[in-house]
Amino acid sequence: MSYNLLKGKRGIIFGALDENSIAWKTAERVHEEGGEFVLTNAPIALRMGQINELAKKTNSEIIPADATNMEDLENLVEKATEILGGKLDFVLHSIGMSVNVRKGKHYTDQNYDWTHKGWDISAVSFHKTMNVLYNKDAMNEWGSIVALTYMAAQRVFPDYNDMADNKAYLESIARSFGYFFGRDKKVRVNTISQSPTPTTAGKGVKGFDGFISYADKMSPLGNATAIDCANYTISLFSDLTKRVTLQNLYNDGGFSNVGVSDAVIEAFEEE
Ligand code: NAI
């Protein structure tokens, strides 16, 4: 269902890799709600080509940018404002990658070059993106910036590895940069803490299948899907949430406030 919530709004969407990506679903929903945007991803991800399909479907252009590279980000923001014909109203940061996870390095024995790379991609890239948006004065007043995170920033999920630390850092950046963005530009900055979701990044976490079912059984409303996340993001991009800022917002079916559920207790009683 469409409510025209983003009519006349312009933005940038990072991180649509394939149709499972949370950013992909968000781009589709933003388009349905009347928003216009530029799609971006790392050059290597663009080579896989699937994003062209999304661009066509949503009448949007694609600008490659490695989100750890300031020059790429500057070029992205300059071109995006040119293409869209004005300053931006929304930005989605939907980027995450841990080399230690990818290469099977245990949390207790990391390769610190990989740790550094994953931190730069998953956390510092959000600071760099906001740096460029802020210093180029590229956001309209009452604009909205959202990044995606996971509850391993607050609680232990052993196989989430160094991504847990990256997410804690990301959430802190949202608050710290969000203060200045709010004070100086009237722009809000929030993170959405999403349920486990079957995407390329999600499925890369060891034991994902067992874990996603566990989270589902623990959550009174069940796991939030990628579309649920897209819808929540739409609400944060819309004018209905103008003074929500510096928040880490859970979109997780209630998981984060549950100690144990009947379904999980039953699973143990059956043993
Ligand atoms: P995904 O794998 O579809 O998206 C991750 C994106 O990051 C990809 O498009 C990838 O190309 C991009 N990326 C990696 N390195 C980059 C770089 N240097 N520059 C620019 N882009 C780069 O997976 P998903 O799940 O849609 O991930 C989106 C966000 O949601 C991530 O921040 C992830 O941590 C977060 N999240 C995912 C959950 C899950 O279970 N899937 C749960 C909670 C949060």
Side-chain angles (χ1 to χ4, degrees):
M1 210 188 296
S2 163
Y3 309 88
N4 258 340
L5 282 173
L6 304 182
K7 196 162 184 269
K9 294 195 186 294
R10 318 176 180 104
I12 299 178
I13 298 181
F14 287 79
L17 180 67
D18 57 34
E19 62 178 6
N20 298 317
S21 299
I22 298 170
W24 185 292
K25 307 279 190 221
T26 309
E28 289 178 333
R29 285 292 293 118
V30 170
H31 179 63
E32 280 170 19
E33 293 295 338
E36 286 175 46
F37 49 85
V38 157
L39 293 166
T40 183
N41 210 323
I44 192 160
L46 293 179
R47 256 177 255 145
M48 292 162 79
Q50 292 192 50
I51 199 174
N52 294 323
E53 194 191 309
L54 179 65
K56 210 167 147 197
K57 224 170 149 179
T58 58
N59 296 323
S60 48
E61 290 199 30
I62 305 165
I63 302 173
D66 174 346
T68 63
N69 181 309
M70 287 296 282
E71 277 171 30
D72 281 11
L73 290 170
E74 277 162 13
N75 176 60
L76 167 68
V77 170
E78 274 163 29
K79 292 237 170 80
T81 46
E82 240 171 71
I83 291 168
L84 297 167
K87 288 195 197 184
L88 308 173
D89 303 291
F90 60 86
V91 173
L92 174 66
H93 177 286
S94 183
I95 298 172
M97 207 273 294
S98 157
V99 192
N100 286 304
V101 167
R102 264 208 193 166
K103 304 210 174 180
K105 266 285 192 191
H106 195 262
Y107 184 78
T108 54
D109 181 28
Q110 298 181 28
N111 171 321
Y112 291 109
D113 289 336
W114 297 347
T115 307
H116 189 268
K117 185 155 194 227
W119 167 74
D120 199 12
I121 292 174
S122 309
V124 185
S125 66
F126 191 40
H127 198 286
K128 291 177 177 172
T129 301
M130 286 198 281
N131 175 340
V132 174
L133 293 166
Y134 179 95
N135 287 302
K136 284 193 178 297
D137 198 20
M139 295 292 297
N140 275 322
E141 283 195 355
W142 303 110
S144 174
I145 300 172
V146 170
L148 301 183
T149 186
Y150 182 55
M151 209 184 49
Q154 286 78 33
R155 300 195 190 169
V156 176
F157 292 87
D159 291 324
Y160 208 62
N161 209 318
D162 56 339
M163 276 305 285
D165 305 331
N166 295 336
K167 290 304 192 192
Y169 201 97
L170 177 88
E171 291 175 17
S172 179
I173 289 173
R175 284 186 295 271
S176 302
F177 218 128
Y179 172 79
F180 296 105
F181 241 131
R183 186 193 68 180
D184 302 339
K185 316 268 188 193
K186 291 197 166 50
V187 167
R188 56 204 191 274
V189 181
N190 295 289
T191 48
I192 295 179
S193 189
Q194 166 70 7
S195 291
T197 313
T199 61
T200 305
K203 286 190 279 194
V205 178
K206 205 172 122 209
F208 184 79
D209 289 343
F211 177 63
I212 193 171
S213 325
Y214 169 74
D216 197 48
K217 286 200 163 31
M218 279 283 281
S219 312
L221 295 180
N223 286 334
T225 64
I227 291 167
D228 292 327
C229 189
N231 284 328
Y232 198 10
T233 303
I234 299 293
S235 76
L236 290 174
F237 286 168
S238 82
D239 291 333
L240 300 176
T241 52
K242 273 170 101 168
R243 283 198 173 77
V244 179
T245 195
L246 313 184
Q247 302 299 315
N248 181 41
L249 302 161
Y250 290 99
N251 185 49
D252 66 353
F255 180 90
S256 48
N257 269 345
V258 173
V260 74
S261 66
D262 298 315
V264 168
I265 291 174
E266 266 166 40
F268 277 89
E269 281 172 346
E270 279 160 19
E271 270 184 13

